[in-house]
Amino acid sequence: MSFLEIRDVHKRYGELEVLKGINLKVEQHQVVCLIGASGCGKSTLLRCINGLEAISGGEIRLEGDRITGPGVDLDRLRRKVGIVFQSFNLFPHMTVLQNVTLAPIQVLGIPRAEAEARAMELLRRIGLEAKAKAYPDQLSGGQQQRVAIARALAMDPQLLLLDEITSALDPELVSEVLNLLRELAAEGMTMLLATHEMSFAREVASKVCFLYQGVVHEEGPPEQIFGDPQQERTRAFLSKIIEAGRL
Amino acid sequence: MNPIDPKQGRSSAPSIPKDPTSLVLWALAVCALVVLLAWSVLLNLYRILERNHLAGVGVEVLLVLVGLLPLLLLVPVWRGLRNAGQARAALAVKDLITTRVKATEAREWAQYAIGYGAAVLLVFLSVQFLLANDGAVGSTFFRLELIRDSFGLVLGAFWKNVWMFCVAEVLILVWGLVIAVARMIPGRAGQPIRFLATVYTDAFRGLPTIISIYLIALGLPLANVPVVRDWRPEWLAILALTMSYGAYVAEVYRAGLDSIHPSQWSAARSLGLSFSQTLRFVIIPQAVRRIIPPLLNDFIALQKDTALVNVVGVIDGFNQAKIIASNKFNLSAVTTVAILFMIITIPQTRLVDRLLEQEKRRTRG
Ligand SMILES: Nc1ncnc2c1ncn2[C@@H]1O[C@H](COP(=O)(O)OP(=O)(O)O)[C@@H](O)[C@H]1O
Ligand SMILES: [Mg+2]
């Protein structure tokens, strides 16, 4: 039994079938990278895993428990699975500290003082304790994204989903976010991330999955996917990435 | 691509700027006309005052001072003339840049004078309107001693309008939110409730307020509906206004909540917050800022519509004023209530504009 098991997952938006039978396994403490052309369904898959979208077929299991379909307590699932978005999605009317403590206080029922102490600890880790009282629009993109990661971590998730979290950042701000991910990976956080940062994927990934036409077209250790891809489509995709100077 | 031909490009000589003199002369003519018209209106006013034995040294001085004001229009005209002259002089020595600058300035001054002239003209024309028929128009609306004598009575009755819209606004805030949330309840189970709420808002938004007041405040007691039949007409009118404006305000809430980007819902739900927690902590606090201006607009409309309750016999400010007016064959008491309504609503209108301006600056910045 794998930690996260995605079995033959389909997702349709009306006529458009975005996911056409995804199969994917993630073990505990693994970092799995999803790569693929934009529009191939990476975000959709991640949103399905924590129940923001309902799937149209197949099933997803977390620690052996079914987490899709009728009768699933989505609010409980989401306490275990955190997600960080490309566009940060911080709450603009709340300070950094309030952003990080909202869910622990309201969802987990942790007393405010304790939640704030833990949040300050997280902020110290990401080097933003001085910004605790600042509002999101007073922060740079990189800082906002680190706060968004801290907000997800404050729920102590067992699985962290990351959806192209550096794509909306200016190039010089990317490394501060990737460094944080490196630390999390080193600590054994289980992560499933959609990314275009191929060299980062090559460095930290336990497994890389190439999504093409709604299925996992090829998967394997990063050395294989980047060094010796077996599939024609994978090679074509990677050569475009290399052309763009991102590998 | 062909190499650029050096002979092409700026082949034609720079054009000579248009002479602004004729525009400035037009401005002069307009302003002179305005001044003459203002003086004739003031003269007319003076004659009427004299006939009513209201003229005196103080009034004469005041009228002369007011008569001098339109002369200020000649200042921009004179500046226009001076700049036009300078433009012609510069053109004579082929100084095209100075010509262009001065001509532009002359035109701006002339336009300025014409704009202000038109405004002054409108003011004096409306004074002339009030003076028409030997001042009969003015005294129908502004008989001062009648306004003074009836003021206490009208103001007393106007408090009923204030009381009614204050009570109604509180009820509407709550009722509108109930309807708005009912229209947003997700899932299949919520479908019948969504449907009912939609029918309700469509019905009351399509119904003229005066008709719903009539139907509710007269109809419910007539139909002997329990509980409600014993209510005073004021309360029935408040009920009718709440039903009617609740539908509008529900739409205001809904538009405000809808205007929050769906990614905020995703972010909140992904952290494990429930539907109602997401509304309460994330969506509503952000929507409130956008809701306040349209909400205030609806409340201003509501405040004015409290004057409709006279159709069911409530003695509000307008009804009281109407009674006085029909006794005295003069509308001055109605003018009083009109002014009272404006005193209450105009500051709110200004506030709405300010808030909208702020919001625009905030989202732009
Ligand atoms: N809510 C939606 N409704 C309809 N189509 C959608 C919706 N969300 C995504 N799609 C479509 O699904 C496809 C995959 O989108 P997405 O998962 O965002 O791709 P990726 O993240 O790999 O770039 C795209 O063609 C997109 O247009
Ligand atoms: Mg995406």
Side-chain angles (χ1 to χ4, degrees):
Chain A
M1 185 186 74
S2 299
F3 181 66
L4 175 73
E5 249 187 276
I6 298 169
R7 286 196 202 137
D8 194 30
V9 161
H10 290 251
K11 173 66 188 174
R12 240 186 311 275
Y13 289 113
E15 290 291 285
L16 177 73
E17 187 165 35
V18 181
L19 306 181
K20 300 176 184 168
I22 298 268
N23 288 291
L24 181 66
K25 285 182 182 159
V26 180
E27 305 300 335
Q28 212 150 17
H29 311 305
Q30 270 193 338
V31 176
V32 175
C33 288
L34 298 173
I35 61 172
S38 116
C40 72
K42 303 182 293 295
S43 303
T44 304
L45 179 59
L46 294 179
R47 293 171 65 84
C48 287
I49 294 172
N50 86 340
L52 288 171
E53 304 278 356
I55 61 176
S56 331
E59 66 170 13
I60 303 178
R61 285 177 180 269
L62 185 69
E63 296 183 296
D65 296 330
R66 199 170 44 80
I67 58 167
T68 49
V72 172
D73 183 351
L74 285 176
D75 290 340
R76 257 194 56 195
L77 157 70
R78 288 174 183 139
R79 286 173 215 175
K80 296 201 253 175
V81 181
I83 184 166
V84 182
F85 303 92
Q86 182 174 352
S87 50
F88 328 142
N89 299 0
L90 292 178
F91 306 130
H93 61 298
M94 295 183 183
T95 63
V96 165
L97 188 63
Q98 288 167 333
N99 263 281
V100 178
T101 54
L102 176 69
I105 293 173
Q106 299 302 335
V107 178
L108 302 180
I110 296 175
R112 175 173 302 276
E114 195 187 324
E116 287 184 349
R118 285 186 41 194
M120 287 309 291
E121 211 168 289
L122 275 171
L123 292 179
R124 198 165 306 132
R125 248 198 85 176
I126 62 171
L128 288 176
E129 55 193 318
K131 300 284 185 185
K133 295 271 181 293
Y135 284 86
D137 62 3
Q138 298 167 315
L139 304 182
S140 75
Q143 292 172 330
Q144 289 190 48
Q145 194 57 293
R146 283 186 283 155
V147 172
I149 295 171
R151 181 174 70 174
L153 291 177
M155 292 296 282
D156 263 333
Q158 294 166 319
L159 170 66
L160 196 54
L161 308 173
L162 304 142
D163 187 5
E164 291 192 37
I165 63 167
T166 56
S167 299
L169 297 179
D170 291 335
E172 78 271 20
L173 302 178
V174 168
S175 64
E176 63 188 58
V177 172
L178 292 185
N179 283 337
L180 180 55
L181 291 194
R182 276 189 194 98
E183 280 179 34
L184 290 176
E187 286 165 20
M189 172 65 77
T190 314
M191 294 192 275
L192 177 57
L193 53 126
T195 187
H196 284 298
E197 302 291 342
M198 299 302 165
S199 49
F200 176 76
R202 191 169 204 164
E203 173 196 331
V204 300
S206 335
K207 181 162 79 175
V208 175
C209 302
F210 172 60
L211 256 59
Y212 179 73
Q213 294 202 330
V215 296
V216 177
H217 196 70
E218 180 170 359
E219 66 178 293
E223 308 79 47
Q224 182 206 316
I225 298 290
F226 294 118
D228 181 24
Q230 305 296 305
Q231 301 288 333
E232 180 55 37
R233 295 295 175 187
T234 317
R235 277 197 289 272
F237 172 73
L238 288 172
S239 66
K240 270 190 206 137
I241 297 283
I242 290 166
E243 253 175 62
R246 301 197 76 149
L247 187 62
Chain B
M1 219 169 66
N2 297 325
I4 295 167
D5 179 0
K7 270 178 265 165
Q8 263 182 357
R10 301 212 33 176
S11 55
S12 61
S15 62
I16 294 169
K18 249 175 64 185
D19 189 4
T21 311
S22 64
L23 184 66
V24 177
L25 289 178
W26 267 110
L28 179 62
V30 167
C31 291
L33 202 77
V34 170
V35 169
L36 291 179
L37 196 121
W39 285 350
S40 80
V41 169
L42 289 174
L43 208 63
N44 195 0
L45 176 60
Y46 181 71
R47 278 203 209 100
I48 289 172
L49 290 176
E50 208 175 26
R51 209 171 312 133
N52 291 300
H53 310 291
L54 286 169
V57 182
V59 170
E60 279 163 20
V61 171
L62 195 70
L63 286 182
V64 168
L65 285 180
V66 173
L68 288 176
L69 280 179
L71 287 177
L72 289 177
L73 288 173
L74 297 178
V75 175
V77 172
W78 181 71
R79 292 205 174 143
L81 281 172
R82 207 180 49 178
N83 278 303
Q86 286 165 344
R88 276 195 309 275
L91 186 61
V93 296
K94 294 262 183 313
D95 180 357
L96 281 185
I97 291 175
T98 309
T99 309
R100 195 166 284 123
V101 169
K102 291 295 172 188
T104 307
E105 256 180 70
R107 248 193 305 278
E108 269 168 15
W109 282 117
Q111 284 159 356
Y112 179 87
I114 292 175
Y116 271 79
V120 172
L121 185 71
L122 285 177
V123 169
F124 278 95
L125 280 181
S126 39
V127 173
Q128 176 59 42
F129 171 70
L130 291 177
L131 297 178
N133 292 346
D134 253 352
V137 175
S139 68
T140 302
F141 297 108
F142 297 101
R143 174 96 59 76
L144 287 180
E145 78 272 11
L146 194 57
I147 290 181
R148 194 187 55 215
D149 294 344
S150 64
F151 186 75
L153 208 54
V154 172
L155 184 67
F158 183 70
W159 277 119
K160 182 156 283 177
N161 296 76
V162 175
W163 171 77
M164 280 196 302
F165 71 63
C166 285
V167 174
E169 280 172 12
V170 174
L171 296 177
I172 288 165
L173 281 178
V174 177
W175 180 235
L177 188 61
V178 169
I179 298 299
V181 171
R183 285 194 72 170
M184 288 175 50
I185 291 177
R188 223 175 336 158
Q191 200 165 18
I193 295 181
R194 286 202 300 270
F195 177 74
L196 284 181
T198 309
V199 169
Y200 167 80
T201 45
D202 284 356
F204 273 90
R205 285 195 307 162
L207 198 60
T209 312
I210 193 166
I211 293 181
S212 56
I213 291 177
Y214 206 79
L215 289 177
I216 290 175
L218 285 186
L220 293 185
L222 206 63
N224 219 2
V225 177
V227 184
V228 174
R229 68 182 165 216
D230 301 325
W231 287 11
R232 297 215 315 274
E234 286 87 336
W235 280 102
L236 289 167
I238 288 174
L239 176 66
L241 288 170
T242 304
M243 297 294 280
S244 182
Y245 275 87
Y248 289 104
V249 168
E251 284 307 288
V252 168
Y253 281 133
R254 212 166 62 97
L257 296 178
D258 267 356
S259 74
I260 304 303
H261 198 267
S263 63
Q264 289 286 308
W265 279 97
S266 297
R269 295 311 295 273
S270 77
L271 288 166
L273 272 74
S274 66
F275 177 82
S276 57
Q277 283 174 325
T278 303
L279 265 183
R280 176 165 155 218
F281 296 111
V282 177
I283 307 298
I284 289 179
Q286 292 184 63
V288 161
R289 195 192 255 122
R290 293 180 206 177
I291 284 173
I292 284 176
L295 192 63
L296 264 178
N297 268 336
D298 277 356
F299 278 177
I300 292 169
L302 164 75
Q303 292 165 16
K304 295 186 294 180
D305 275 358
T306 55
L308 298 175
V309 301
N310 75 84
V311 297
V312 293
V314 176
I315 306 293
D316 72 320
F318 177 46
N319 211 352
Q320 181 63 262
K322 270 197 338 189
I323 294 169
I324 296 170
S326 52
N327 286 339
K328 307 277 184 188
F329 299 108
N330 184 290
L331 292 184
S332 297
V334 182
T335 304
T336 310
V337 80
I339 290 172
L340 287 175
F341 268 112
M342 285 193 281
I343 288 174
I344 288 217
T345 52
I346 287 176
Q348 298 176 78
T349 316
R350 296 285 89 229
L351 179 64
V352 171
D353 283 359
R354 268 255 302 282
L355 291 175
L356 285 176
E357 194 53 41
Q358 268 175 16
E359 177 72 15
K360 211 155 72 187
R361 229 174 309 143
R362 215 177 51 86
T363 47
R364 227 189 284 130

